[in-house]
Amino acid sequence: MNVSDMLEGKVAIVTGGTRGIGYGIVKKFLEAGAKVALFGSRQETVDQALEKIQSEVPGGEVMGLHPALGDFDAAEKAIQSVREKFGKVDILVNNAGISARESLYEYKPEDFEKIMSLNVNAVFNCSKAAAAIMKEQGGGSIVNISSMVSIYGQPAGCGYPASKFAVNGLTKSLARELGRDQIRVNAVAPGVTRTDMVAALPEEMVQRISATIPLGRVGEPEEVANAALFLASDLASYVTGTILSVDGATQV
Ligand code: NAD
């Protein structure tokens, strides 16, 4: 199967699709033949991403929305409007996420709630709304973007790894619950990936991080997108409940 045919005829939603890994997934899915709805946090960034993707993948069918994903009604309404525009919803990628670095002593309870709202509640909300449509259609695929911190934890900003452990829990549990409806649920757990955050680091620091990774470099958004493409596609028809590490064998 050619990459350009892997998602032919499918409709996908990618949350946090305006930049970084999410943008890489939007681009890859359009190149693979899907119609794609990208969700961002603001109208302005959604418009910028739509303009960029239309120039990079001319002819790709793409739309953009910016629902408050932590609110079930808003998430459901946005997912319904994708179905209205594109006719169905086959694939959901729960990618939108924020990270944290505060020590427990500095960590404000409202910041802990904020990270849970986007990294966990939004995954629940979007999965619940999309699964109802997928069930009616006879199946679908949900891909959650977890992180290597869901395996190792991290030494500060405990809300972030806690949220990604929850993402893995949702992945494994929903795979078991939704299998009978032919809805597959998997996750990709990236290591350090070259998004804006990493690109802003001094090259010397990126090299220091890279030296600790067996493959000797950080990952690229496209490499995470390739894993998401496989899991979203019919090539992964018997794969569900798995957490696929894309981290160059990082051990921390
Ligand atoms: P990024 O900051 O570059 O992009 C985040 C995306 O999420 C953007 O599209 C943004 O619009 C969206 N977003 C942020 N707040 C939002 C909100 N309140 N509502 C809706 N959307 C919102 O991030 P990234 O590095 O591309 O990370 C994407 C995913 O990958 C996250 O879940 C992150 O935890 C995970 N991840 C990233 C890395 C890495 O090194 N970059 C490593 C492991 C896991």
Side-chain angles (χ1 to χ4, degrees), residues 85-127:
K85 172 135 171 127
F86 288 151
K88 56 188 187 142
V89 175
D90 302 298
I91 298 160
L92 166 68
V93 182
N94 286 305
N95 164 78
I98 46 175
S99 61
R101 294 195 164 275
E102 305 89 325
S103 81
L104 182 61
Y105 305 109
E106 311 295 329
Y107 216 134
K108 296 195 189 98
E110 57 269 33
D111 288 338
F112 189 83
E113 277 171 27
K114 194 172 156 202
I115 203 166
M116 291 298 154
S117 172
L118 183 64
N119 294 16
V120 183
N121 295 25
V123 175
F124 169 85
N125 291 340
C126 293
S127 300

Side-chain angles (χ1 to χ4, degrees), residues 26-61:
V26 171
K27 187 172 177 204
K28 183 65 64 178
F29 280 18
L30 285 170
E31 289 168 348
K35 294 178 185 171
V36 182
L38 64 85
F39 289 178
S41 53
R42 291 184 293 127
Q43 184 71 56
E44 194 192 343
T45 49
V46 166
D47 289 345
Q48 283 165 359
L50 288 176
E51 199 179 316
K52 187 170 175 217
I53 201 77
Q54 276 155 352
S55 73
E56 290 184 356
V57 190
E61 281 197 69

Side-chain angles (χ1 to χ4, degrees), residues 92-236:
L92 166 68
V93 182
N94 286 305
N95 164 78
I98 46 175
S99 61
R101 294 195 164 275
E102 305 89 325
S103 81
L104 182 61
Y105 305 109
E106 311 295 329
Y107 216 134
K108 296 195 189 98
E110 57 269 33
D111 288 338
F112 189 83
E113 277 171 27
K114 194 172 156 202
I115 203 166
M116 291 298 154
S117 172
L118 183 64
N119 294 16
V120 183
N121 295 25
V123 175
F124 169 85
N125 291 340
C126 293
S127 300
K128 180 173 163 64
I133 296 172
M134 291 171 178
K135 181 181 181 186
E136 224 181 279
Q137 291 170 185
S141 174
I142 298 174
V143 180
N144 297 323
I145 305 302
S146 181
S147 166
M148 66 177 179
V149 305
S150 74
I151 298 158
Y152 305 116
Q154 65 183 25
C158 63
Y160 184 58
S163 73
K164 296 300 187 180
F165 273 80
V167 167
N168 291 4
L170 282 167
T171 303
K172 289 189 171 288
S173 302
L174 292 180
R176 297 183 68 178
E177 182 176 340
L178 302 178
R180 72 197 56 169
D181 299 322
Q182 303 308 314
I183 301 170
R184 297 183 296 102
V185 187
N186 293 288
V188 179
V192 179
T193 308
R194 196 184 295 277
T195 58
D196 290 354
M197 210 171 62
V198 174
L201 296 175
E203 188 51 34
E204 182 267 325
M205 192 184 283
V206 176
Q207 277 178 16
R208 219 169 344 117
I209 295 168
S210 299
T212 66
I213 301 170
L215 284 184
R217 61 178 178 83
V218 301
E220 299 296 330
E222 187 179 3
E223 295 176 306
V224 180
N226 286 337
L229 172 61
F230 166 67
L231 292 172
S233 79
D234 293 342
L235 286 183

